[in-house]
Amino acid sequence: NAGVMQNPRHLVRRRGQEARLRCSPMKGHSHVYWYRQLPEEGLKFMVYLQKENIIDESGMPKERFSAEFPKEGPSILRIQQVVRGDSAAYFCASSPLGSGTTQYFGPGTRLTVL
Amino acid sequence: EDKVVQSPLSLVVHEGDTVTLNCSYEVTNFRSLLWYKQEKKAPTFLFMLTSSGIEKKSGRLSSILDKKELFSILNITATQTGDSAVYLCAVARGSSNTGKLIFGQGTTLQVKP
């Protein structure tokens, strides 16, 4: 049973470009979570999605960031007009059920903004 | 504001030593506490604790939760170099409309041969 898959593993963008990060949850999991880990900091929650629904986006920056989890295909975290401060590791997690259940993490996407 | 604090922030031991990592929390509507091990990749799940006083054990690792004093400890006995990693503590809230895990800053463990 494959774990949570994320791609790309490393992404380099110049300021002002768009970054698209993809996450495929574990088989049988319909709940997806995105976290950001800035250098020397802990993991910070960004957004929680189920298929075609955003359940909790309380950790998402108000501008430039969006997330989706379509009926078919992976979840996408999209960052428009990236800035240097967006450089971080972005982790996706999935769970079979919702709140309070164990979340299993993917390997992360390391975004570097030049 | 919800808060999870881990201590120590870093620790250096020698193989064979026993270590205790601490996690204290102040979170409204607590549901569960989770421990993860993070090497240079995905945080891997270790334990989930929901009830006080019940020890969870897996090999040389064990963990226990105290919901009255609002903390958990993670013990590693007979440490090995492969235990070197960042150990993350996270708390889940009981609200049904959020899946948010609140993480501590992590404890970096280095085990020397």
Side-chain angles (χ1 to χ4, degrees):
Chain A
N1 186 11
V4 178
M5 311 279 280
Q6 288 188 250
N7 68 81
R9 294 291 306 277
H10 300 275
L11 183 61
V12 179
R13 285 286 178 266
R14 294 190 181 280
R15 280 179 295 170
Q17 292 184 319
E18 179 180 287
R20 279 186 180 237
L21 288 61
R22 293 174 188 78
C23 169
S24 296
M26 285 177 72
K27 189 175 180 180
H29 289 194
S30 59
H31 300 254
V32 165
Y33 315 82
W34 286 93
Y35 292 83
R36 178 165 63 176
Q37 188 172 38
L38 293 167
E40 309 302 323
E41 292 190 18
L43 286 154
K44 297 280 193 253
F45 169 80
M46 299 181 76
V47 62
Y48 163 35
L49 309 105
Q50 293 180 39
K51 286 282 187 184
E52 301 184 281
N53 282 308
I54 296 174
I55 308 301
D56 178 4
E57 55 181 346
S58 59
M60 286 280 267
K62 294 283 186 279
E63 297 175 349
R64 303 187 297 108
F65 285 72
S66 62
E68 62 177 8
F69 189 16
K71 189 176 178 182
E72 302 290 336
S75 176
I76 307 283
L77 179 68
R78 182 181 176 208
I79 311 172
Q80 295 178 288
Q81 299 175 324
V82 295
V83 300
R84 287 219 175 107
D86 297 332
S87 295
Y90 292 83
F91 289 94
C92 168
S94 73
S95 67
L97 298 173
S99 173
T101 57
T102 302
Q103 296 178 19
Y104 296 90
F105 282 80
T109 293
R110 274 166 176 74
L111 172 65
T112 302
V113 180
L114 301 178
Chain B
E1 186 182 335
D2 295 331
K3 191 165 58 173
V4 177
V5 177
Q6 293 185 244
S7 63
L9 292 182
S10 64
L11 193 54
V12 181
V13 301
H14 287 93
E15 273 192 317
D17 288 348
T18 292
V19 297
T20 298
L21 309 183
N22 303 290
C23 176
S24 63
Y25 61 91
E26 292 177 30
V27 174
T28 53
N29 198 14
F30 172 91
R31 179 165 180 157
S32 58
L33 185 145
L34 299 92
W35 284 96
Y36 290 86
K37 177 183 181 182
Q38 185 178 24
E39 297 167 274
K40 291 184 189 296
K41 47 186 179 178
T44 52
F45 171 73
L46 295 175
F47 298 112
M48 182 179 187
L49 302 145
T50 54
S51 301
S52 273
I54 298 174
E55 186 184 48
K56 291 273 182 99
K57 198 168 169 64
S58 175
R60 296 176 294 102
L61 277 67
S62 63
S63 184
I64 197 160
L65 174 67
D66 186 328
K67 288 168 74 173
K68 183 179 175 187
E69 300 297 328
L70 307 183
F71 78 92
S72 173
I73 59 171
L74 175 68
N75 277 320
I76 309 174
T77 59
T79 51
Q80 302 171 358
T81 54
D83 295 327
S84 296
V86 177
Y87 290 84
L88 301 170
C89 170
V91 171
R93 297 172 62 190
S95 168
S96 62
N97 61 352
T98 177
K100 175 180 179 179
L101 289 179
I102 303 156
F103 279 87
Q105 66 273 62
T107 294
T108 301
L109 173 65
Q110 183 184 358
V111 181
K112 291 187 170 181

